[in-house]
Amino acid sequence: MTTAQAATTPAAPAFDRIEELEPGRRAVAVRNVPQTLPVFDHHFPRFPILPGVLLLESMTALARAAAGSGRTWRLKSVRGVRFKHFVGPGDQVRITAEVTGSTPQTTEVRATARVGDRVVATARTLTLVSADEPWEGTA
């Protein structure tokens, strides 16, 4: 895939639907993993696996929704990420994000991804910072 193709290829949504949302407290969403995702063409074609970074992206997007408060959040740091099992085509991933702490400028969220009853990934802490704040090291 060329750079031009990658720039024009639409990104897959972070999740398909939000099932529960309590802004400032928690959120639950579902992401269906279809066989037609372009990433499966080159990410182990004989044994297609959803890349962990895409699963982490879904967890982060849900963390932003759980943070709520009508502001825009960006990911500042990630701690304690564990990928425990493969996620492949046909799986339905249920993601839970729980706010564990917040200040006016930051929110910390714990996230878990499951396929059925099996935990496939966890993030102990996703730290979100208000997009209104300047980037660290910039004025």
Side-chain angles (χ1 to χ4, degrees):
M1 180 179 290
T2 67
T3 305
Q5 288 173 322
T8 59
T9 302
F15 45 82
D16 294 305
R17 70 180 179 277
I18 294 179
E19 294 185 333
E20 297 176 36
L21 179 61
E22 295 177 53
R25 296 186 46 116
R26 73 186 305 262
V28 178
V30 172
R31 177 180 184 167
N32 295 308
V33 184
Q35 173 70 44
T36 57
L37 283 178
V39 70
F40 292 140
D41 293 340
H42 56 276
H43 199 259
F44 307 110
R46 292 186 181 159
F47 184 68
I49 298 168
L50 184 70
V53 70
L54 295 181
L55 193 53
L56 184 59
E57 177 186 28
S58 294
M59 294 164 88
T60 302
L62 188 61
R64 286 184 183 112
S69 77
R71 26 173 68 172
T72 303
W73 299 96
R74 71 172 179 260
L75 184 64
K76 179 180 180 181
S77 66
V78 178
R79 286 184 302 195
V81 175
R82 302 285 184 262
F83 297 103
K84 299 177 179 215
H85 296 282
F86 296 122
V87 175
D91 285 342
Q92 184 177 65
V93 183
R94 184 178 175 91
I95 304 165
T96 304
E98 298 177 7
V99 175
T100 57
S102 67
T103 67
Q105 271 67 38
T106 64
T107 298
E108 290 187 347
V109 179
R110 176 179 44 236
T112 305
R114 297 175 181 272
V115 173
D117 292 335
R118 175 181 269 186
V119 174
V120 295
T122 60
R124 186 177 64 235
T125 307
L126 300 171
T127 303
L128 305 174
V129 65
S130 173
D132 301 333
E133 296 297 309
W135 287 90
E136 188 172 311
T138 63

